[in-house]
Amino acid sequence: MDENIAEKLEEFKKDDKIPEACEFCKKVLKTEENRTCLRFLAEQAKQAGDRDNELAFLKRLLATEVKKGDVVLRLMELSDKSDEMKEQVIDELISEKRDAEAEEIFLQMTENGWFDYEKISKWAERLSNSGKSRTAYDWVFHVIEVYKKMSLWKEMEKILAFCWKINPCEEVRKNLLICLREKFKNCRHLEYFLEELNVHSRKDVTSVLDKLQEILRYDEGKWVFHDSWGLGRVREMIPYQDELVIDFENKKGHVMNLGGAEKIIEPLNDDHWTVVTKTQKEKLLALIKEDPVQVVKMYLKSFSGQAFGQDMKKDISSSLGIKDSWWNSSRDRIKNDAFIDYSAGGKGGKFILIKKQKKKKQSNDKDFVYDGDIESHYRKLTSFLQLVKKEGATEENEKKASEYFFAVKCELEKASALTRLKFHYLSVELQKYFKKFELTELDFGQMSDMEVLEIIESSVKTDLKEKLIRNLTSSSRIDEGLRKQILCAKAFGFRDSLPVETRAEDMAYIFERPFESPEALLWAAEKVKSGEVILPDRIPSDENLTEWIFKLTEKSSSENSERNKKIIVKVRQLLKKNDYEIIKNAVDEALLPQAKLIVNWVSDSSAFNPVQKSEIRTKLIRLRPEVVVSDEAQASGDKAVYVSKSSFFKRQSLRDKLLYDTLPAIVEEIRRTAAMGDLSENFEYHAARAKHREIAGKISDLEDQLSKTRVIDEGMIDTDKVSIGTTVFLQSGEKEKNITILGPWDSDPESGIISYLSPLGEKLLGLKMNDFVEIEQSEFEVRKIIVSEFLMDARTEQRRKLVDENDFRNIVEKGKTDEKDRRDYKERRDE
C-alpha cells in the first residue's frame, strides 16, 4: 500500500500537481494514518513556511513512524527546545545508532548544567550493550569533568559510581578520592575511614561508597532520631573505639556502639521536618503565614515526597501548635504549585512533590481539535473540566464543551467499552455545570461480562471502577456469576462497592478458594483483621490466614511483574505487629515448606524490626538449620558443604564466643590504651588494634564458612546406597571395616569417620549392597548400609516431624487447613 501511494505521489510531482497530491494525501488520511502521506504533507508545509500545519503533521507522524530521529529533531527545532525534548531526541538517535548526533546534543546539555542520573545511566547502558563501551565511558566521564568544574560533588560521586561499572580504572579512582575529600572535607575522621575501608587498593568501589555513606550519616553534628529518646545530635564520633556519643532530648551524653546505632536510630538531614520543627519553630511559624506552600514542600521532602492532605494538615498543625485554618486558605495554592502534583481522592487527596516543573495547561481552541488520538483528547477534556470548575459555567465554556464532545462523537461509537465509560462519566461531570449539555449515554445493561472485567482489571482510577459497579448494581446487571468474576478480578480497591448484603457470602466464597485471586484474599483478610465482617464458623483461623498470605508471597515473589509488586506491598501492609506473635509461634512447628517460606519472608519484610527478625531467625536455625543454612548457601552462589548439625553448632558457638565475648574485650582494651596519649608510639594500642583485626578476620572467616554449609538432613538420607550421613559395613574375608561418611568438619579417621570429600569418601559414595571396592590393596564387599549413629537422636525427632508431612503440605496448598486438620496431624505425628 505504501509503495503504491509513493508511486502515485511521484507521478503528481512529475506533472507538477502538488495541490492535487496534497488533496490525495488528505483523502488517504481520512481512512488511515499513512506515513508516506504524513511525511509528504509535513514537507509541503515546511516549504510553504506553515509551521502550525508542519507541527501537526509531524506529531501524527511520530505516533506511526518507525525511525523517529529526524521527526523529533524537527519537532524540537519548531516548538520545544526543553531538556525533556532533548532527552527524547537522544533516546531516538541512540535507537537508530546515530551516536555522533546524540553526543552533540548530550554535550550541550551537560555544559549547561543538566544532570539526570537515571537518563545518563540508561543511555550508557544501551551504548555498552550495543558494543560501544568506550563511547559510554566517554559520555559518563565528560559529566564527571563538568561537575568537577562546578564543584557539584554529590552529583559527581553518583556518576563516578556508575562510571566504575563501565570502566573500573585508576582514573576513576583518583577522581573518586578527590570527590570524597571535597564532599566530606568537614569530616575530621575521613582519612581514617578511607584507610579502614581500603579505598586506595580495593577493586570494587561501589560497596565502599555505600559503607562510607552509611557511616558518615552518624558523623559529628548529625541529627538522629530514636523512638523512645526522641531527637538527638551526635556530639562525638570515636571511630577507633567504634563509638558514638549522642545528646538525645531525654538522654544526654549517651554512648552507643556504631553498629548498634545503625539498627535502632534513624539519621536525619538538617532540613528534615522533625529537626526543623525543633530548632527553627519560630521561623516556620512566620513562613507558614507568608508562604505556606514552602512549608508543605519542606514537609513532603522529609517524608518520601508524598502525603495525604488530611494527614499532612494534622501533622503540620500539631507540630507547630496552630489551628487548621491555614490549610483552608492555602489549599488551592498548594494544589496549583508548579512542583506539586495533586490527585483527588480519599483522605483529602494525595500531594506529591515532583522534580520537574509541571507543564502549564493550555485552553485554546486549537488544543481540542481531534487529532486522531482519543486518549489525548480525553486528557485535554479532563483539563478543560478542571478549568470549568475553577472559572465557572460561563456561556463561552458551555459552547466549547459541546464543540469538544462533538469533535470526538463519531469516534466513540467504535471505541472500547473503557473509553466510552470514561467519556460518559466526563460528560456527567460537565452536565452538572451546563444543564443544556448533551450527555454521552451508556447502556450498562448491555455491557458484556468480558467488557466489565476488562475495565475493572485495567489501570484506570479506583473511583471509576466503583462508579461502574454502582451503576451495574442499580441496573440489575450484576448477577451471581458476574459478581463472582468481579470478586476474583486481578485488581485492588473496588470490592467495597459490591452490595453489602452479599458481603458475608462473598467472603465465604473467597475463603473456599483462597489462591484463586491474591487480590481477593488480601481484601477478605483485611476485612477479617479489622473485624468488619462476621462469618460464624466460616472465618479461617489467624494461623490459616497467615499461612495463606505467606503462600501468596511465595508465589508472587517468583515473578517480578507490576501486579506481583502490588501484591507484595499489600501483604506487607497487612502483616503488622499483631501477626508477629502468630509468625513466631508458627516457627515452633514449622514444616519444611513453611520454614523456608518464613525465612524468605522475614529476611525481606519491612513489617518487622531487626530485633524481631533476629528472634525469628534464631528460633528457625535452632529448629531447622538445614533450611536456613541451605538457603544462605544457595544465595551465595557457591557449592554448599554438608556438615552434621552438631559440628555446625560447634563452629557457630565458636563464632558467637569471638563475636560476643572476645571482641568486646579487645574493643575495651583499645579504648583504655587510646586514652593513654600519643597513638604513634603507643605499643599497647597498636597491639590491641592488631588483635582486633585478627579476631575480626576470624569472625568473618567463620561467618563465611557457616553461610556456605548445608546441614545434613537426617530425614532425607538414602540407605539404598552409600551416601552422606550413612555408615557402611565392609568385609574382606575375615577383615571387617565400619566407615561413616560425614562432612569435612566431622572427619575423625581414628573413630572411623571420614569426609565425603576425601579420596576414600568419593570412592565409597554411590556403592550399593554387594558392590566391591578396593581399600589398602584389599577388595571389600558392601554388606550393610545404615544411617550413622552420630545422627540417630536428631533423626528420631525428624522422623516424627516428617510423618504425613506430604499429606499435610497438600492440605495447606489447597487452602483447606483448619483447626481439626492441625489437631489430627499433631496426634498422628506424636504417635
Side-chain angles (χ1 to χ4, degrees), residues 207-219:
S207 59
V208 172
L209 283 177
D210 291 341
K211 184 61 179 175
L212 183 63
Q213 293 279 18
E214 189 64 33
I215 292 171
L216 294 183
R217 293 173 75 195
Y218 300 90
D219 196 11

Side-chain angles (χ1 to χ4, degrees), residues 25 35 88 98 267 270 349 352 362 376 421 425 465 467 477 481 545 563 585 634 637-638 686 703 709 724:
C25 288
R35 292 198 296 268
Q88 186 181 357
R98 296 161 65 177
D270 291 345
I352 302 175
Q362 300 176 346
S376 172
L421 184 72
Y425 286 129
K465 298 174 186 177
K467 286 179 185 176
R477 171 69 186 79
L545 209 50
R563 181 192 178 200
N585 293 336
Q634 289 171 354
D638 295 325
H686 289 293
E703 288 181 339
T709 56
I724 302 171

Side-chain angles (χ1 to χ4, degrees), residues 23-57:
E23 286 301 319
F24 169 75
C25 288
K26 289 176 182 177
K27 187 177 179 180
V28 171
L29 291 175
K30 287 181 180 179
T31 57
E32 63 168 302
E33 290 290 277
N34 185 276
R35 292 198 296 268
T36 305
C37 292
L38 289 169
R39 279 196 292 267
F40 180 82
L41 291 173
E43 184 60 31
Q44 293 306 312
K46 178 181 179 181
Q47 292 178 12
D50 186 352
R51 293 171 61 90
D52 288 343
N53 267 324
E54 183 186 0
L55 195 61
F57 288 125

